[in-house]
Amino acid sequence: MTPRTALGALHIGALMFGLTGVFGKLAAASPAIIVFGRALFAVLALAMFARFASRTPWKRLERRDGRRLLLSGVLLAAHWVTFFIAVKVAGVAVATLGFTAFPAFTVILEGLIFRERIRANEGLLVVLVTVGLVLVTPDFNLASEATGGLLWGIASGLLFSLLSLNNRAGSGRIPAVQAALCQNLVVAVCLLPVAAPGLADVRALDWLWIGLLGVFCTGLAHSLFVASLAVIKARTASVVFAMEPVYGITAAWLLFAETPTLRMLLGGALIIVAIVISGLMGSAAPAKQPTAAA
């Protein structure tokens, strides 16, 4: 890749990640079936990428690597299931904004787990996300369906933060595509017992949406991200991927008429600013390798 094509690939990857909630809403299946199918199709796509496009040799997994990948797979499964529950309950826009609270969770948990002092700019990040979530909240009533969906989205962000921290602990040991393939395989195995009873009832059209979700929004998007990091700085990649919620909310606006209110737009803007700050801080820290970000 040249720097120009790598930047284009990053934007395509961000767009595909942003469409995750859209395909999840289009598929008239349970969150467990959607996540199982997504992981299964992602494994196939990542295997093709590893076979024909990636030149990074795979490493033999040690026992500690297996334990870490197993935990990552379980966290990834829980993250996806809670996110798609949020999409089904409250819509793509609310679910996406709830999920994007993960930078604040990462700052707090990183300080607790790795015993790192929270800096002033990280404290600002937490404040921005908190204020953004307050503005995004449709109704301060736990009985409200929209508020419940937002809470599911926030739970998805918390699980994604734990996943990122677990990946950080093992970053650099395993190639990113190999780690992603193994994690998606764990997701498929974990969700198979729950999804199996309903697989025969899934419509062909829903399998199309789930297949697109797994191949494009997971396998291809991840592959483009990893490949572009060979020529693009992580700082640049973090800023580009801050566009992910913008793409997702815009698509939901156009396809499902999920028109955001002024308060939601303002809250979303604050959260996206927090994502940019988080990405810039993450790329500046030497301990965080591309594998953790992926």
Side-chain angles (χ1 to χ4, degrees):
M1 284 188 177
T2 65
R4 177 175 294 182
T5 57
L7 189 59
L10 273 177
H11 277 285
I12 293 173
L15 172 61
M16 290 178 179
F17 279 132
L19 293 177
T20 295
V22 173
F23 286 122
K25 184 164 184 174
L26 287 171
S30 69
I33 291 177
I34 293 174
V35 173
F36 167 75
R38 176 184 188 176
L40 188 63
F41 282 106
V43 167
L44 297 176
L46 289 167
M48 293 289 288
F49 176 81
R51 176 66 179 83
F52 297 106
S54 178
R55 297 181 180 180
T56 303
W58 283 26
K59 293 185 178 180
R60 184 176 180 180
L61 298 179
E62 299 179 4
R63 182 172 298 179
R64 59 174 176 171
D65 298 324
R67 289 196 298 266
R68 186 170 289 119
L69 288 172
L70 179 61
L71 176 59
S72 293
V74 172
L75 288 172
L76 182 60
H79 155 60
W80 279 349
V81 168
T82 51
F83 177 75
F84 287 120
I85 291 176
V87 169
K88 298 293 185 182
V89 171
V92 177
V94 172
T96 301
L97 289 173
F99 156 70
T100 50
F102 74 85
F105 289 123
T106 302
V107 168
I108 296 171
L109 293 174
E110 214 165 28
L112 294 174
I113 296 173
F114 294 102
R115 300 183 182 277
E116 296 177 355
R117 183 174 60 88
I118 297 178
R119 296 170 292 179
N121 53 358
E122 293 173 329
L124 174 62
L125 184 153
V126 175
V127 171
L128 286 175
V129 170
T130 303
V131 175
L133 288 175
V134 170
L135 292 173
V136 165
T137 304
D139 184 10
F140 294 97
N141 179 7
L142 293 179
S144 167
E145 194 173 62
T147 303
L150 179 65
L151 292 175
W152 279 112
I154 293 173
S156 174
L158 173 60
L159 290 163
F160 182 79
S161 177
L162 291 170
L163 171 64
S164 300
L165 293 176
N166 185 59
N167 285 344
R168 171 188 168 179
S171 63
R173 290 185 49 81
I174 307 170
V177 173
Q178 180 184 0
L181 191 152
C182 293
Q183 289 171 7
N184 277 276
L185 189 60
V186 172
V187 172
V189 172
C190 287
L191 270 297
L192 179 58
V194 182
L199 292 178
D201 299 325
V202 180
R203 303 176 305 170
L205 182 60
D206 293 331
W207 279 121
L208 172 63
W209 302 132
I210 294 171
L212 293 174
L213 179 62
V215 173
F216 290 99
C217 299
T218 310
L220 182 58
H222 181 90
S223 301
L224 288 174
F225 177 76
V226 173
S228 63
L229 282 178
V231 290
I232 291 288
K233 293 180 180 179
R235 183 183 298 262
T236 303
S238 66
V239 174
V240 172
F241 266 80
M243 293 297 294
E244 176 189 339
V246 177
Y247 290 138
I249 293 170
T250 303
W253 190 354
L254 296 175
L255 294 175
F256 309 121
E258 293 184 7
T259 306
T261 63
L262 182 60
R263 275 187 55 185
M264 184 180 291
L265 289 173
L266 181 57
L270 290 176
I271 294 173
I272 290 168
V273 168
I275 295 173
V276 174
I277 294 174
S278 174
L280 294 177
M281 290 189 303
S283 60
K288 298 178 183 177
Q289 301 297 329
T291 304

